[in-house]
Amino acid sequence: MHEEIAEQQADVTRLLLHHVQAPLAGAQYIRGILPVPAPAEAVRVVTGAEASDTPEQLTAYEVPLRADSDLLTAYGIVGILRTLLTRTRIYSSDSISTVMGMTLVSVDPTSVDPAACTPDDNALTILRCIAHPFTEERPDPRLRGFLFLDQDRLRLYLDTEDIPGVIGADVRPSGAVTALLAALPSLITEEERMTADATDPHCSCLVDLTHW
């Protein structure tokens, strides 16, 4: 059951990546997708204005990944978030908290009428399926989420068959990206690089690759 949710978190991340550059709704972009640790079956989608990267500028929406016995798809999550981001909504106090300094909103999907897919959404689905057809082969490491921490610090949430749990890896987008991507699978498994980050509940250990 845990692997099913882990795979769904990875799929949501993969399918929503383009909203880092393309608005999700209005002037709101996706600035992070956080894999909620087991046993919870949820994902946290972080939104904010373009290039926002400080906690006070961001809001995280925690969305359950299962409705009854069915898994909620990335497209369903987009529809829910578009409704929340474009309509005035009053939240109860017990649905608001904080995580990593950000406002965290717990979403009840049954109380939200999701926005319909747009023609551009459907066009992207067609193009993506042709350009990158689905494969059952699991990438290793697998991207479970990400978060922009500042203008030149991006945290990747990864898992690998060699290490239990989720690994947080901090990288510099302005760095030597090609070399980093080639070395990443081995770098994240080096135990001497691993530290803990008590402020981040989404990873079991952290690897700082910003100076690599």
Side-chain angles (χ1 to χ4, degrees):
M1 192 66 67
H2 170 61
E3 174 56 28
E4 182 182 33
I5 295 301
E7 185 61 34
Q8 193 69 0
Q9 289 172 338
D11 282 347
V12 169
T13 299
R14 177 175 57 87
L15 292 172
L16 300 189
L17 280 178
H18 63 286
H19 285 299
V20 169
Q21 291 184 314
L24 177 64
Q28 292 290 302
Y29 293 73
I30 289 181
R31 304 302 294 161
I33 298 176
L34 306 173
V36 181
E41 298 184 336
V43 67
R44 292 170 178 162
V45 182
V46 181
T47 65
E50 186 176 13
S52 297
D53 48 34
T54 58
E56 61 271 16
Q57 297 174 314
L58 303 172
T59 301
Y61 294 88
E62 181 170 319
V63 184
L65 284 174
R66 195 183 300 278
D68 297 324
S69 60
D70 298 323
L71 287 176
L72 190 64
T73 68
Y75 306 106
I77 291 174
V78 166
I80 290 170
L81 290 174
R82 282 179 174 157
T83 295
L84 296 176
L85 292 171
T86 56
R87 300 180 188 176
T88 301
R89 194 174 185 87
I90 299 175
Y91 299 99
S92 62
S93 59
D94 60 355
S95 67
I96 303 293
S97 57
T98 60
V99 62
M100 299 176 71
M102 298 177 288
T103 298
L104 175 63
V105 179
S106 295
V107 178
D108 177 5
T110 64
S111 69
V112 182
D113 184 17
C117 290
T118 69
D120 280 350
D121 291 333
N122 293 333
L124 180 60
T125 298
I126 294 169
L127 296 171
R128 181 188 284 123
C129 289
I130 295 172
H132 300 287
F134 174 78
T135 173
E136 292 187 359
E137 183 178 353
R138 169 181 165 174
D140 193 9
R142 176 173 59 177
L143 182 66
R144 294 270 294 277
F146 64 94
L147 180 65
F148 288 94
L149 295 175
D150 63 32
Q151 290 184 352
D152 196 27
R153 193 180 190 97
L154 174 65
R155 179 162 297 177
L156 308 175
Y157 295 93
L158 307 159
D159 65 14
T160 174
E161 295 180 356
D162 300 321
I163 303 291
V166 174
I167 303 165
D170 286 358
V171 300
R172 285 187 305 116
S174 67
V177 173
T178 301
L180 172 68
L181 290 175
L184 189 65
S186 61
L187 291 174
I188 64 172
T189 63
E190 296 175 358
E191 293 187 5
E192 64 273 16
R193 296 183 182 272
M194 295 180 181
T195 60
D197 184 352
T199 67
D200 189 346
H202 308 98
C203 56
S204 53
C205 65
L206 181 65
V207 177
D208 187 353
L209 301 178
T210 57
H211 299 292
W212 187 83

